[in-house]
Amino acid sequence: MLYDCAKLAERDRGLTAAVEAVKRGDLVVFPTDTVYGIGCDAFKSWSVGTLLRAKSRGRDVPPPVMVGSRQMLDGLVYGLPAAARDLVEAFWPGPLTILVEHAPSLDWDLGDTDGVIQVRMPLHPVALELIRETGPMAVSSANKPSDPAAVTAEEARAQFGYEVSVYLEAGPAPEQLTSTIVDCTNATPKILRVGALSLEQLREVAADIAEEDE
């Protein structure tokens, strides 16, 4: 089912349906500030497995996790280095994904994470409202491997069809770029992928940040 979130009543019904779908272990598609995401409950291993199969990925490519608040992040991480805290303070919610160590006590199975996860807090009201109701979600870009990332829910539905229970449509994605990924697991943060945030923007906050090939 696709819901038009530009219409208030339909937005409310769509969010309710999406929350219920996530809680029962289904996949949902929703807007973010970059491209549309396809996601599920990060703590339901069978849902994560369904997500990986929908994306034609193996356990060696664990999905990133989206959170709806800074407090939600604190509940997931083993420890947050100073550079990561500064970057989160400056760019969250927004198109920044950080790679950090997750708490070893977490009862989840995202795949072969080696103890680290990619985490992001998106700057989109629909995404934030959804995730604040569901808790942390395992989320990937809403596209099949051979197709471009969807920038509307309609584009995502054309690729995934009935593999996804609920589609939340909020018009074209604002950025239409992927997030920038920064590895914060070491003393010196390192860019793994440049996306909507540039190196120059990141270095205004973390001057010693290294580029991928440095």
Side-chain angles (χ1 to χ4, degrees), residues 38-91:
I38 177 173
C40 65
D41 187 336
F43 287 93
K44 289 182 170 60
S45 59
W46 68 91
S47 300
V48 174
T50 301
L51 173 61
L52 291 175
R53 288 191 294 275
K55 290 282 294 183
S56 299
R57 290 179 175 173
R59 289 177 53 82
D60 58 324
V61 188
V65 174
M66 282 193 178
V67 296
S69 67
R70 172 61 193 275
Q71 291 71 29
M72 206 175 286
L73 169 68
D74 291 338
L76 299 179
V77 297
Y78 178 76
L80 205 59
R85 288 197 301 270
D86 292 343
L87 289 167
V88 164
E89 182 68 25
F91 298 112

mmCIF file of all heavy atoms in Angstrom, residues 38-91:
data_model
loop_
_atom_site.group_PDB
_atom_site.id
_atom_site.type_symbol
_atom_site.label_atom_id
_atom_site.label_comp_id
_atom_site.label_asym_id
_atom_site.label_seq_id
_atom_site.Cartn_x
_atom_site.Cartn_y
_atom_site.Cartn_z
ATOM 1 N N ILE A 38 14.689 1.771 2.257
ATOM 2 C CA ILE A 38 13.906 0.563 2.512
ATOM 3 C C ILE A 38 14.436 -0.010 3.819
ATOM 4 O O ILE A 38 15.646 -0.184 3.988
ATOM 5 C CB ILE A 38 14.002 -0.456 1.356
ATOM 6 C CG1 ILE A 38 13.228 -1.737 1.685
ATOM 7 C CG2 ILE A 38 15.448 -0.781 1.003
ATOM 8 C CD1 ILE A 38 13.139 -2.710 0.513
ATOM 9 N N GLY A 39 13.524 -0.264 4.775
ATOM 10 C CA GLY A 39 14.026 -0.651 6.079
ATOM 11 C C GLY A 39 13.107 -1.560 6.862
ATOM 12 O O GLY A 39 11.985 -1.875 6.449
ATOM 13 N N CYS A 40 13.612 -1.953 8.035
ATOM 14 C CA CYS A 40 12.894 -2.871 8.919
ATOM 15 C C CYS A 40 13.417 -2.680 10.338
ATOM 16 O O CYS A 40 14.366 -1.919 10.581
ATOM 17 C CB CYS A 40 13.096 -4.315 8.465
ATOM 18 S SG CYS A 40 14.807 -4.893 8.602
ATOM 19 N N ASP A 41 12.810 -3.383 11.268
ATOM 20 C CA ASP A 41 13.244 -3.376 12.660
ATOM 21 C C ASP A 41 14.661 -3.951 12.750
ATOM 22 O O ASP A 41 14.898 -5.097 12.367
ATOM 23 C CB ASP A 41 12.276 -4.224 13.488
ATOM 24 C CG ASP A 41 12.539 -4.159 14.983
ATOM 25 O OD1 ASP A 41 13.674 -3.857 15.397
ATOM 26 O OD2 ASP A 41 11.602 -4.438 15.745
ATOM 27 N N ALA A 42 15.588 -3.157 13.274
ATOM 28 C CA ALA A 42 16.983 -3.605 13.357
ATOM 29 C C ALA A 42 17.171 -4.764 14.319
ATOM 30 O O ALA A 42 18.184 -5.465 14.250
ATOM 31 C CB ALA A 42 17.876 -2.436 13.778
ATOM 32 N N PHE A 43 16.203 -4.997 15.209
ATOM 33 C CA PHE A 43 16.350 -6.047 16.209
ATOM 34 C C PHE A 43 15.586 -7.322 15.854
ATOM 35 O O PHE A 43 15.526 -8.246 16.668
ATOM 36 C CB PHE A 43 15.901 -5.529 17.580
ATOM 37 C CG PHE A 43 16.888 -4.550 18.179
ATOM 38 C CD1 PHE A 43 16.736 -3.187 17.979
ATOM 39 C CD2 PHE A 43 17.972 -4.996 18.911
ATOM 40 C CE1 PHE A 43 17.643 -2.291 18.515
ATOM 41 C CE2 PHE A 43 18.886 -4.110 19.454
ATOM 42 C CZ PHE A 43 18.721 -2.743 19.250
ATOM 43 N N LYS A 44 15.012 -7.388 14.663
ATOM 44 C CA LYS A 44 14.370 -8.612 14.190
ATOM 45 C C LYS A 44 15.266 -9.227 13.116
ATOM 46 O O LYS A 44 15.303 -8.757 11.981
ATOM 47 C CB LYS A 44 12.968 -8.321 13.648
ATOM 48 C CG LYS A 44 11.940 -7.968 14.717
ATOM 49 C CD LYS A 44 10.575 -7.757 14.101
ATOM 50 C CE LYS A 44 9.483 -7.646 15.176
ATOM 51 N NZ LYS A 44 9.682 -6.532 16.101
ATOM 52 N N SER A 45 15.976 -10.274 13.477
ATOM 53 C CA SER A 45 16.974 -10.843 12.565
ATOM 54 C C SER A 45 16.336 -11.350 11.277
ATOM 55 O O SER A 45 16.931 -11.226 10.202
ATOM 56 C CB SER A 45 17.736 -11.977 13.261
ATOM 57 O OG SER A 45 16.852 -12.999 13.687
ATOM 58 N N TRP A 46 15.116 -11.912 11.371
ATOM 59 C CA TRP A 46 14.487 -12.414 10.154
ATOM 60 C C TRP A 46 14.096 -11.272 9.218
ATOM 61 O O TRP A 46 14.135 -11.416 8.005
ATOM 62 C CB TRP A 46 13.270 -13.277 10.502
ATOM 63 C CG TRP A 46 12.114 -12.534 11.102
ATOM 64 C CD1 TRP A 46 11.058 -11.962 10.440
ATOM 65 C CD2 TRP A 46 11.896 -12.257 12.490
ATOM 66 N NE1 TRP A 46 10.192 -11.362 11.328
ATOM 67 C CE2 TRP A 46 10.679 -11.537 12.595
ATOM 68 C CE3 TRP A 46 12.594 -12.581 13.651
ATOM 69 C CZ2 TRP A 46 10.161 -11.106 13.820
ATOM 70 C CZ3 TRP A 46 12.076 -12.148 14.868
ATOM 71 C CH2 TRP A 46 10.881 -11.426 14.944
ATOM 72 N N SER A 47 13.760 -10.108 9.802
ATOM 73 C CA SER A 47 13.441 -8.940 8.984
ATOM 74 C C SER A 47 14.686 -8.422 8.279
ATOM 75 O O SER A 47 14.640 -8.039 7.104
ATOM 76 C CB SER A 47 12.835 -7.835 9.848
ATOM 77 O OG SER A 47 11.656 -8.275 10.476
ATOM 78 N N VAL A 48 15.802 -8.401 9.000
ATOM 79 C CA VAL A 48 17.064 -7.978 8.390
ATOM 80 C C VAL A 48 17.433 -8.927 7.256
ATOM 81 O O VAL A 48 17.901 -8.500 6.189
ATOM 82 C CB VAL A 48 18.187 -7.907 9.447
ATOM 83 C CG1 VAL A 48 19.527 -7.597 8.775
ATOM 84 C CG2 VAL A 48 17.870 -6.854 10.499
ATOM 85 N N GLY A 49 17.206 -10.215 7.460
ATOM 86 C CA GLY A 49 17.462 -11.194 6.397
ATOM 87 C C GLY A 49 16.601 -10.934 5.176
ATOM 88 O O GLY A 49 17.075 -11.033 4.033
ATOM 89 N N THR A 50 15.347 -10.584 5.398
ATOM 90 C CA THR A 50 14.450 -10.245 4.289
ATOM 91 C C THR A 50 14.946 -9.009 3.556
ATOM 92 O O THR A 50 14.910 -8.946 2.321
ATOM 93 C CB THR A 50 13.021 -10.006 4.813
ATOM 94 O OG1 THR A 50 12.552 -11.187 5.465
ATOM 95 C CG2 THR A 50 12.077 -9.666 3.674
ATOM 96 N N LEU A 51 15.423 -8.026 4.320
ATOM 97 C CA LEU A 51 15.966 -6.805 3.709
ATOM 98 C C LEU A 51 17.179 -7.131 2.841
ATOM 99 O O LEU A 51 17.290 -6.645 1.709
ATOM 100 C CB LEU A 51 16.342 -5.807 4.803
ATOM 101 C CG LEU A 51 17.076 -4.533 4.355
ATOM 102 C CD1 LEU A 51 16.228 -3.724 3.388
ATOM 103 C CD2 LEU A 51 17.469 -3.696 5.574
ATOM 104 N N LEU A 52 18.075 -7.945 3.353
ATOM 105 C CA LEU A 52 19.272 -8.295 2.588
ATOM 106 C C LEU A 52 18.905 -9.044 1.311
ATOM 107 O O LEU A 52 19.492 -8.795 0.247
ATOM 108 C CB LEU A 52 20.212 -9.137 3.448
ATOM 109 C CG LEU A 52 20.887 -8.419 4.625
ATOM 110 C CD1 LEU A 52 21.687 -9.409 5.468
ATOM 111 C CD2 LEU A 52 21.791 -7.294 4.132
ATOM 112 N N ARG A 53 17.927 -9.929 1.400
ATOM 113 C CA ARG A 53 17.498 -10.652 0.200
ATOM 114 C C ARG A 53 16.845 -9.711 -0.803
ATOM 115 O O ARG A 53 17.071 -9.838 -2.015
ATOM 116 C CB ARG A 53 16.545 -11.789 0.576
ATOM 117 C CG ARG A 53 17.231 -12.963 1.266
ATOM 118 C CD ARG A 53 16.306 -14.158 1.375
ATOM 119 N NE ARG A 53 15.171 -13.893 2.249
ATOM 120 C CZ ARG A 53 15.188 -14.041 3.573
ATOM 121 N NH1 ARG A 53 16.301 -14.427 4.188
ATOM 122 N NH2 ARG A 53 14.109 -13.808 4.285
ATOM 123 N N ALA A 54 16.054 -8.760 -0.328
ATOM 124 C CA ALA A 54 15.415 -7.797 -1.226
ATOM 125 C C ALA A 54 16.451 -6.962 -1.962
ATOM 126 O O ALA A 54 16.247 -6.566 -3.116
ATOM 127 C CB ALA A 54 14.469 -6.893 -0.437
ATOM 128 N N LYS A 55 17.572 -6.713 -1.292
ATOM 129 C CA LYS A 55 18.661 -5.933 -1.887
ATOM 130 C C LYS A 55 19.679 -6.808 -2.606
ATOM 131 O O LYS A 55 20.671 -6.304 -3.123
ATOM 132 C CB LYS A 55 19.369 -5.132 -0.791
ATOM 133 C CG LYS A 55 18.537 -3.992 -0.210
ATOM 134 C CD LYS A 55 18.510 -2.776 -1.136
ATOM 135 C CE LYS A 55 19.898 -2.160 -1.258
ATOM 136 N NZ LYS A 55 19.903 -0.934 -2.089
ATOM 137 N N SER A 56 19.444 -8.118 -2.613
ATOM 138 C CA SER A 56 20.377 -9.086 -3.230
ATOM 139 C C SER A 56 21.768 -8.979 -2.616
ATOM 140 O O SER A 56 22.784 -9.004 -3.310
ATOM 141 C CB SER A 56 20.445 -8.873 -4.745
ATOM 142 O OG SER A 56 19.186 -9.064 -5.345
ATOM 143 N N ARG A 57 21.806 -8.888 -1.286
ATOM 144 C CA ARG A 57 23.058 -8.785 -0.556
ATOM 145 C C ARG A 57 23.215 -9.951 0.401
ATOM 146 O O ARG A 57 22.239 -10.528 0.872
ATOM 147 C CB ARG A 57 23.123 -7.470 0.224
ATOM 148 C CG ARG A 57 23.268 -6.238 -0.648
ATOM 149 C CD ARG A 57 23.304 -4.977 0.180
ATOM 150 N NE ARG A 57 23.567 -3.803 -0.643
ATOM 151 C CZ ARG A 57 23.516 -2.552 -0.194
ATOM 152 N NH1 ARG A 57 23.200 -2.328 1.076
ATOM 153 N NH2 ARG A 57 23.765 -1.546 -1.009
ATOM 154 N N GLY A 58 24.473 -10.242 0.718
ATOM 155 C CA GLY A 58 24.760 -11.274 1.696
ATOM 156 C C GLY A 58 25.035 -10.681 3.057
ATOM 157 O O GLY A 58 25.013 -9.457 3.251
ATOM 158 N N ARG A 59 25.327 -11.548 4.022
ATOM 159 C CA ARG A 59 25.614 -11.094 5.378
ATOM 160 C C ARG A 59 26.893 -10.273 5.461
ATOM 161 O O ARG A 59 27.130 -9.581 6.452
ATOM 162 C CB ARG A 59 25.715 -12.302 6.314
ATOM 163 C CG ARG A 59 24.388 -12.982 6.582
ATOM 164 C CD ARG A 59 24.577 -14.214 7.462
ATOM 165 N NE ARG A 59 25.317 -13.901 8.680
ATOM 166 C CZ ARG A 59 24.775 -13.380 9.769
ATOM 167 N NH1 ARG A 59 23.478 -13.112 9.801
ATOM 168 N NH2 ARG A 59 25.509 -13.143 10.837
ATOM 169 N N ASP A 60 27.723 -10.346 4.420
ATOM 170 C CA ASP A 60 28.963 -9.585 4.424
ATOM 171 C C ASP A 60 28.742 -8.102 4.140
ATOM 172 O O ASP A 60 29.682 -7.309 4.187
ATOM 173 C CB ASP A 60 29.947 -10.157 3.398
ATOM 174 C CG ASP A 60 29.384 -10.160 1.996
ATOM 175 O OD1 ASP A 60 28.163 -10.403 1.840
ATOM 176 O OD2 ASP A 60 30.149 -9.933 1.043
ATOM 177 N N VAL A 61 27.479 -7.719 3.829
ATOM 178 C CA VAL A 61 27.160 -6.297 3.602
ATOM 179 C C VAL A 61 26.014 -5.917 4.552
ATOM 180 O O VAL A 61 24.860 -5.753 4.123
ATOM 181 C CB VAL A 61 26.760 -6.022 2.138
ATOM 182 C CG1 VAL A 61 26.624 -4.523 1.892
ATOM 183 C CG2 VAL A 61 27.771 -6.618 1.173
ATOM 184 N N PRO A 62 26.287 -5.792 5.845
ATOM 185 C CA PRO A 62 25.223 -5.463 6.798
ATOM 186 C C PRO A 62 24.650 -4.075 6.526
ATOM 187 O O PRO A 62 25.380 -3.162 6.119
ATOM 188 C CB PRO A 62 25.930 -5.511 8.156
ATOM 189 C CG PRO A 62 27.369 -5.305 7.844
ATOM 190 C CD PRO A 62 27.600 -5.919 6.502
ATOM 191 N N PRO A 63 23.360 -3.892 6.720
ATOM 192 C CA PRO A 63 22.742 -2.598 6.436
ATOM 193 C C PRO A 63 23.073 -1.555 7.498
ATOM 194 O O PRO A 63 23.293 -1.902 8.666
ATOM 195 C CB PRO A 63 21.238 -2.923 6.450
ATOM 196 C CG PRO A 63 21.135 -4.077 7.397
ATOM 197 C CD PRO A 63 22.382 -4.885 7.185
ATOM 198 N N PRO A 64 23.093 -0.288 7.117
ATOM 199 C CA PRO A 64 23.219 0.780 8.108
ATOM 200 C C PRO A 64 21.986 0.812 9.024
ATOM 201 O O PRO A 64 20.951 0.221 8.719
ATOM 202 C CB PRO A 64 23.303 2.049 7.256
ATOM 203 C CG PRO A 64 23.691 1.582 5.889
ATOM 204 C CD PRO A 64 23.075 0.224 5.741
ATOM 205 N N VAL A 65 22.121 1.529 10.121
ATOM 206 C CA VAL A 65 21.032 1.683 11.075
ATOM 207 C C VAL A 65 20.654 3.154 11.158
ATOM 208 O O VAL A 65 21.530 4.021 11.222
ATOM 209 C CB VAL A 65 21.439 1.164 12.470
ATOM 210 C CG1 VAL A 65 20.354 1.467 13.510
ATOM 211 C CG2 VAL A 65 21.716 -0.331 12.418
ATOM 212 N N MET A 66 19.359 3.440 11.120
ATOM 213 C CA MET A 66 18.880 4.808 11.301
ATOM 214 C C MET A 66 18.261 4.950 12.683
ATOM 215 O O MET A 66 17.551 4.058 13.160
ATOM 216 C CB MET A 66 17.861 5.188 10.232
ATOM 217 C CG MET A 66 18.480 5.523 8.894
ATOM 218 S SD MET A 66 17.301 6.310 7.768
ATOM 219 C CE MET A 66 18.397 6.603 6.353
ATOM 220 N N VAL A 67 18.537 6.079 13.315
ATOM 221 C CA VAL A 67 17.984 6.389 14.634
ATOM 222 C C VAL A 67 17.150 7.661 14.536
ATOM 223 O O VAL A 67 17.321 8.472 13.625
ATOM 224 C CB VAL A 67 19.096 6.554 15.686
ATOM 225 C CG1 VAL A 67 19.847 5.248 15.890
ATOM 226 C CG2 VAL A 67 20.072 7.668 15.288
ATOM 227 N N GLY A 68 16.254 7.833 15.517
ATOM 228 C CA GLY A 68 15.379 8.995 15.499
ATOM 229 C C GLY A 68 15.760 10.063 16.491
ATOM 230 O O GLY A 68 15.108 11.110 16.570
ATOM 231 N N SER A 69 16.839 9.820 17.268
ATOM 232 C CA SER A 69 17.286 10.804 18.249
ATOM 233 C C SER A 69 18.722 10.501 18.655
ATOM 234 O O SER A 69 19.213 9.390 18.436
ATOM 235 C CB SER A 69 16.393 10.774 19.498
ATOM 236 O OG SER A 69 16.565 9.555 20.194
ATOM 237 N N ARG A 70 19.369 11.468 19.258
ATOM 238 C CA ARG A 70 20.723 11.256 19.762
ATOM 239 C C ARG A 70 20.713 10.237 20.903
ATOM 240 O O ARG A 70 21.635 9.424 21.037
ATOM 241 C CB ARG A 70 21.297 12.587 20.238
ATOM 242 C CG ARG A 70 22.638 12.495 20.970
ATOM 243 C CD ARG A 70 23.748 11.906 20.116
ATOM 244 N NE ARG A 70 24.881 11.558 20.927
ATOM 245 C CZ ARG A 70 25.851 12.400 21.290
ATOM 246 N NH1 ARG A 70 25.796 13.664 20.882
ATOM 247 N NH2 ARG A 70 26.862 12.014 22.016
ATOM 248 N N GLN A 71 19.658 10.240 21.709
ATOM 249 C CA GLN A 71 19.556 9.286 22.806
ATOM 250 C C GLN A 71 19.484 7.852 22.281
ATOM 251 O O GLN A 71 20.028 6.930 22.890
ATOM 252 C CB GLN A 71 18.320 9.588 23.661
ATOM 253 C CG GLN A 71 18.395 10.869 24.479
ATOM 254 C CD GLN A 71 18.314 12.134 23.633
ATOM 255 O OE1 GLN A 71 17.700 12.136 22.562
ATOM 256 N NE2 GLN A 71 18.925 13.209 24.121
ATOM 257 N N MET A 72 18.843 7.682 21.125
ATOM 258 C CA MET A 72 18.752 6.360 20.518
ATOM 259 C C MET A 72 20.138 5.882 20.097
ATOM 260 O O MET A 72 20.463 4.696 20.226
ATOM 261 C CB MET A 72 17.805 6.412 19.316
ATOM 262 C CG MET A 72 17.147 5.101 18.968
ATOM 263 S SD MET A 72 15.909 5.254 17.629
ATOM 264 C CE MET A 72 14.564 6.046 18.515
ATOM 265 N N LEU A 73 20.965 6.801 19.612
ATOM 266 C CA LEU A 73 22.345 6.457 19.265
ATOM 267 C C LEU A 73 23.108 6.001 20.497
ATOM 268 O O LEU A 73 23.825 4.997 20.466
ATOM 269 C CB LEU A 73 23.047 7.656 18.630
ATOM 270 C CG LEU A 73 24.568 7.537 18.462
ATOM 271 C CD1 LEU A 73 24.919 6.468 17.433
ATOM 272 C CD2 LEU A 73 25.179 8.877 18.071
ATOM 273 N N ASP A 74 22.959 6.734 21.592
ATOM 274 C CA ASP A 74 23.696 6.405 22.815
ATOM 275 C C ASP A 74 23.384 4.998 23.303
ATOM 276 O O ASP A 74 24.217 4.358 23.951
ATOM 277 C CB ASP A 74 23.368 7.418 23.912
ATOM 278 C CG ASP A 74 23.934 8.804 23.605
ATOM 279 O OD1 ASP A 74 24.885 8.890 22.806
ATOM 280 O OD2 ASP A 74 23.412 9.794 24.151
ATOM 281 N N GLY A 75 22.185 4.506 22.995
ATOM 282 C CA GLY A 75 21.819 3.166 23.412
ATOM 283 C C GLY A 75 22.416 2.071 22.548
ATOM 284 O O GLY A 75 22.319 0.889 22.900
ATOM 285 N N LEU A 76 23.040 2.446 21.435
ATOM 286 C CA LEU A 76 23.575 1.461 20.501
ATOM 287 C C LEU A 76 25.087 1.336 20.523
ATOM 288 O O LEU A 76 25.630 0.291 20.170
ATOM 289 C CB LEU A 76 23.155 1.814 19.065
ATOM 290 C CG LEU A 76 21.669 1.846 18.738
ATOM 291 C CD1 LEU A 76 21.481 2.236 17.272
ATOM 292 C CD2 LEU A 76 21.013 0.503 19.021
ATOM 293 N N VAL A 77 25.769 2.408 20.901
ATOM 294 C CA VAL A 77 27.213 2.440 20.692
ATOM 295 C C VAL A 77 27.981 1.953 21.911
ATOM 296 O O VAL A 77 27.525 2.061 23.054
ATOM 297 C CB VAL A 77 27.690 3.860 20.324
ATOM 298 C CG1 VAL A 77 27.068 4.288 19.018
ATOM 299 C CG2 VAL A 77 27.371 4.855 21.428
ATOM 300 N N TYR A 78 29.162 1.415 21.621
ATOM 301 C CA TYR A 78 30.091 0.989 22.676
ATOM 302 C C TYR A 78 30.721 2.213 23.335
ATOM 303 O O TYR A 78 30.920 2.279 24.532
ATOM 304 C CB TYR A 78 31.160 0.094 22.062
ATOM 305 C CG TYR A 78 32.207 -0.367 23.033
ATOM 306 C CD1 TYR A 78 31.925 -1.374 23.962
ATOM 307 C CD2 TYR A 78 33.476 0.194 23.021
ATOM 308 C CE1 TYR A 78 32.882 -1.790 24.864
ATOM 309 C CE2 TYR A 78 34.439 -0.233 23.924
ATOM 310 C CZ TYR A 78 34.142 -1.221 24.844
ATOM 311 O OH TYR A 78 35.082 -1.631 25.729
ATOM 312 N N GLY A 79 31.053 3.176 22.533
ATOM 313 C CA GLY A 79 31.627 4.432 22.994
ATOM 314 C C GLY A 79 31.725 5.365 21.807
ATOM 315 O O GLY A 79 31.961 4.908 20.686
ATOM 316 N N LEU A 80 31.530 6.647 22.024
ATOM 317 C CA LEU A 80 31.529 7.598 20.926
ATOM 318 C C LEU A 80 32.771 8.492 21.025
ATOM 319 O O LEU A 80 32.893 9.288 21.962
ATOM 320 C CB LEU A 80 30.264 8.449 20.970
ATOM 321 C CG LEU A 80 29.778 9.065 19.664
ATOM 322 C CD1 LEU A 80 29.491 7.992 18.626
ATOM 323 C CD2 LEU A 80 28.539 9.913 19.909
ATOM 324 N N PRO A 81 33.723 8.349 20.087
ATOM 325 C CA PRO A 81 34.929 9.181 20.117
ATOM 326 C C PRO A 81 34.581 10.666 19.999
ATOM 327 O O PRO A 81 33.497 11.036 19.506
ATOM 328 C CB PRO A 81 35.712 8.709 18.881
ATOM 329 C CG PRO A 81 35.172 7.346 18.579
ATOM 330 C CD PRO A 81 33.730 7.395 18.975
ATOM 331 N N ALA A 82 35.509 11.513 20.430
ATOM 332 C CA ALA A 82 35.262 12.956 20.430
ATOM 333 C C ALA A 82 34.933 13.474 19.035
ATOM 334 O O ALA A 82 34.025 14.299 18.859
ATOM 335 C CB ALA A 82 36.484 13.684 20.997
ATOM 336 N N ALA A 83 35.655 12.984 18.020
ATOM 337 C CA ALA A 83 35.407 13.453 16.655
ATOM 338 C C ALA A 83 34.005 13.080 16.205
ATOM 339 O O ALA A 83 33.316 13.873 15.546
ATOM 340 C CB ALA A 83 36.441 12.860 15.699
ATOM 341 N N ALA A 84 33.563 11.884 16.561
ATOM 342 C CA ALA A 84 32.214 11.455 16.202
ATOM 343 C C ALA A 84 31.173 12.326 16.888
ATOM 344 O O ALA A 84 30.172 12.719 16.272
ATOM 345 C CB ALA A 84 32.017 9.992 16.579
ATOM 346 N N ARG A 85 31.394 12.644 18.154
ATOM 347 C CA ARG A 85 30.458 13.513 18.871
ATOM 348 C C ARG A 85 30.367 14.875 18.202
ATOM 349 O O ARG A 85 29.280 15.433 18.037
ATOM 350 C CB ARG A 85 30.895 13.672 20.332
ATOM 351 C CG ARG A 85 30.683 12.436 21.181
ATOM 352 C CD ARG A 85 30.731 12.794 22.660
ATOM 353 N NE ARG A 85 32.009 13.392 23.037
ATOM 354 C CZ ARG A 85 33.057 12.700 23.455
ATOM 355 N NH1 ARG A 85 32.986 11.380 23.531
ATOM 356 N NH2 ARG A 85 34.176 13.319 23.791
ATOM 357 N N ASP A 86 31.517 15.416 17.805
ATOM 358 C CA ASP A 86 31.526 16.736 17.169
ATOM 359 C C ASP A 86 30.792 16.703 15.824
ATOM 360 O O ASP A 86 30.030 17.621 15.494
ATOM 361 C CB ASP A 86 32.964 17.215 16.959
ATOM 362 C CG ASP A 86 33.676 17.518 18.265
ATOM 363 O OD1 ASP A 86 32.987 17.677 19.291
ATOM 364 O OD2 ASP A 86 34.919 17.588 18.251
ATOM 365 N N LEU A 87 31.021 15.656 15.040
ATOM 366 C CA LEU A 87 30.377 15.544 13.734
ATOM 367 C C LEU A 87 28.869 15.364 13.880
ATOM 368 O O LEU A 87 28.081 15.969 13.132
ATOM 369 C CB LEU A 87 30.975 14.371 12.950
ATOM 370 C CG LEU A 87 32.409 14.591 12.447
ATOM 371 C CD1 LEU A 87 33.013 13.270 11.976
ATOM 372 C CD2 LEU A 87 32.446 15.623 11.317
ATOM 373 N N VAL A 88 28.463 14.544 14.837
ATOM 374 C CA VAL A 88 27.038 14.343 15.086
ATOM 375 C C VAL A 88 26.380 15.642 15.538
ATOM 376 O O VAL A 88 25.285 15.992 15.087
ATOM 377 C CB VAL A 88 26.839 13.230 16.138
ATOM 378 C CG1 VAL A 88 25.432 13.254 16.713
ATOM 379 C CG2 VAL A 88 27.135 11.868 15.527
ATOM 380 N N GLU A 89 27.054 16.364 16.409
ATOM 381 C CA GLU A 89 26.520 17.638 16.896
ATOM 382 C C GLU A 89 26.332 18.633 15.757
ATOM 383 O O GLU A 89 25.352 19.377 15.714
ATOM 384 C CB GLU A 89 27.472 18.227 17.948
ATOM 385 C CG GLU A 89 27.008 19.530 18.555
ATOM 386 C CD GLU A 89 25.766 19.393 19.431
ATOM 387 O OE1 GLU A 89 25.540 18.277 19.958
ATOM 388 O OE2 GLU A 89 25.034 20.380 19.582
ATOM 389 N N ALA A 90 27.247 18.603 14.806
ATOM 390 C CA ALA A 90 27.205 19.571 13.710
ATOM 391 C C ALA A 90 26.246 19.181 12.590
ATOM 392 O O ALA A 90 25.593 20.047 11.993
ATOM 393 C CB ALA A 90 28.613 19.751 13.127
ATOM 394 N N PHE A 91 26.136 17.889 12.294
ATOM 395 C CA PHE A 91 25.455 17.474 11.061
ATOM 396 C C PHE A 91 24.232 16.580 11.255
ATOM 397 O O PHE A 91 23.610 16.190 10.265
ATOM 398 C CB PHE A 91 26.448 16.772 10.133
ATOM 399 C CG PHE A 91 27.578 17.647 9.690
ATOM 400 C CD1 PHE A 91 28.877 17.399 10.113
ATOM 401 C CD2 PHE A 91 27.350 18.742 8.867
ATOM 402 C CE1 PHE A 91 29.927 18.210 9.705
ATOM 403 C CE2 PHE A 91 28.387 19.557 8.453
ATOM 404 C CZ PHE A 91 29.680 19.296 8.869
#
